[in-house]
Amino acid sequence: MKNFEFEQELDIAWCPGCGNFNIRTSLIEALQELELEPEQVVISSGIGQAAKMPQYIDVNYFNGLHGRALPVAVAIKAANPDLTVIAEGGDGDMYGEGGNHFIHNIRRNPNIAHLVHNNMVYGLTKGQASPTSKKSMQTPVQTSGVANEPFNPLAVALSLGATFVARAFSGYPEQTKEIIKQAITHEGYALVDIFHPCVTFNKINNFKWYKNNCYQLSADYNRNDFNMAMEKALDVEHFALGVLYQKQGQPTFEQQLPVYQNNQQPIVHRKRDLDKVSELLSL
């Protein structure tokens, strides 16, 4: 079994006690237990503390512009559907700069796992409000308090037809690992919004706060019930942890591409006709 750890010692930039450490452990253990090989896995990320994740795990990765992890992940999966593709970043990166991609890639139902580290601030740039910051929260920039209502990623994802919607908390790493495994093995777009504290720049939403304000879905919760999932997603006083919704059997983005209708071989492995490429470029 591959351990997804680098042989050399890593200089990890996260603050001591950061929730990102637990998410990293949960992700590595999930990949191990799914018996994946590092060369089978690609993580796409943008900018931010959470977006540094692929730099600390021994897999293929693309680290690009702020908020652009999702379109890159979708393109990688389309070029080679045999790969396990994960888009990963923080709430600012994914719901702020990448908000447009968040909306429109849900509609496509690409077969990727989307892991969002949600600490309710921009941690890399010292704690200003992110899309998920609570209204009235004071930050180094919003000194009089955040004026906007927080963005609700789970409700938005459900309303746009996401086929897997879940919430985890890094303070419960075992459950986070299990949810990540289910997201990776789900056939279609899978959102996992992962609460975690920014121990340096968010003194409100700390480990204790999350534990006091989150609860576990009951054992008999029906994840196929859309209305119940939406009800849970819209509850912003107490936050449900677990898989809120899953719909199976929906065609994925890759399956619907014309290029795979009569030929299942990944595009990346097909023989290229350089004469046709030259002809196309000369037009």
Side-chain angles (χ1 to χ4, degrees):
M1 180 182 294
K2 303 294 183 181
N3 61 20
F4 294 90
E5 297 278 8
F6 291 100
E7 293 183 1
Q8 70 273 24
E9 185 176 350
L10 292 175
D11 181 16
I12 294 181
W14 298 328
C15 302
C18 175
N20 284 328
F21 285 102
N22 278 358
I23 300 175
R24 176 180 179 272
T25 299
S26 296
L27 177 57
I28 286 177
E29 291 181 356
L31 297 173
Q32 290 173 338
E33 293 181 16
L34 291 173
E35 298 185 349
L36 295 169
E37 297 292 332
E39 59 269 24
Q40 292 177 282
V41 181
V42 183
I43 300 179
S44 172
S45 70
I47 298 295
Q49 293 290 9
K52 295 174 181 174
M53 179 67 80
Q55 300 171 28
Y56 306 143
I57 299 180
D58 187 14
V59 296
N60 304 294
Y61 76 90
F62 182 95
N63 194 200
L65 298 175
H66 212 348
R68 311 306 174 210
L70 268 175
V72 174
V74 174
I76 293 170
K77 188 68 178 181
N80 190 354
D82 290 344
L83 294 173
T84 294
V85 181
I86 299 167
E88 190 153 4
D91 46 301
D93 189 39
M94 292 297 186
Y95 304 143
E97 286 80 4
N100 188 43
H101 300 302
F102 174 63
I103 291 171
H104 293 290
N105 280 301
I106 290 173
R107 296 167 48 233
R108 299 184 174 102
N109 195 34
N111 190 12
I112 63 173
H114 187 194
L115 311 183
V116 184
H117 305 207
N118 185 356
N119 60 12
M120 303 183 182
V121 292
Y122 280 92
L124 183 68
T125 43
K126 300 186 178 180
Q128 72 266 37
S130 79
T132 57
S133 297
K134 293 294 184 184
K135 190 174 183 179
S136 302
M137 177 182 180
Q138 291 182 311
T139 79
V141 174
Q142 291 79 21
T143 55
S144 298
V146 175
N148 301 323
E149 293 291 341
F151 181 71
N152 188 326
L154 275 60
V156 171
L158 286 166
S159 68
L160 291 172
T163 53
F164 184 102
V165 176
R167 182 189 284 127
F169 167 45
S170 68
Y172 304 133
E174 182 67 20
Q175 183 191 37
T176 301
K177 176 194 71 178
E178 293 300 326
I179 293 174
I180 291 174
K181 286 168 61 179
Q182 294 178 56
I184 290 174
T185 55
H186 172 73
E187 191 166 358
Y189 170 80
L191 171 67
V192 186
D193 186 75
I194 309 173
F195 283 159
H196 82 99
C198 175
V199 295
T200 300
F201 297 112
N202 186 346
K203 301 301 184 186
I204 298 172
N205 307 112
N206 52 27
F207 276 102
K208 182 179 180 180
W209 185 91
Y210 285 115
K211 289 187 176 181
N212 288 341
N213 288 278
C214 294
Y215 68 95
Q216 302 291 339
L217 291 172
S218 62
D220 61 351
Y221 176 81
N222 181 8
R223 65 172 65 180
N224 305 128
D225 187 332
F226 177 85
N227 291 330
M228 181 58 70
M230 185 61 84
E231 182 179 318
K232 296 292 184 186
L234 291 174
D235 183 357
V236 294
E237 296 298 326
H238 302 92
F239 300 94
L241 299 177
V243 180
L244 272 67
Y245 184 69
Q246 185 172 22
K247 185 176 184 179
Q248 296 174 310
Q250 296 299 107
T252 68
F253 174 69
E254 308 82 63
Q255 291 170 341
Q256 298 179 81
L257 291 175
V259 72
Y260 290 120
Q261 296 305 305
N262 299 313
N263 186 350
Q264 298 300 307
Q265 185 181 33
I267 297 173
V268 71
H269 295 318
R270 297 183 190 180
K271 184 178 180 181
R272 296 159 181 80
D273 187 332
L274 297 182
D275 290 336
K276 288 188 177 179
V277 173
S278 297
E279 183 181 344
L280 179 65
L281 294 176
S282 65
L283 292 176

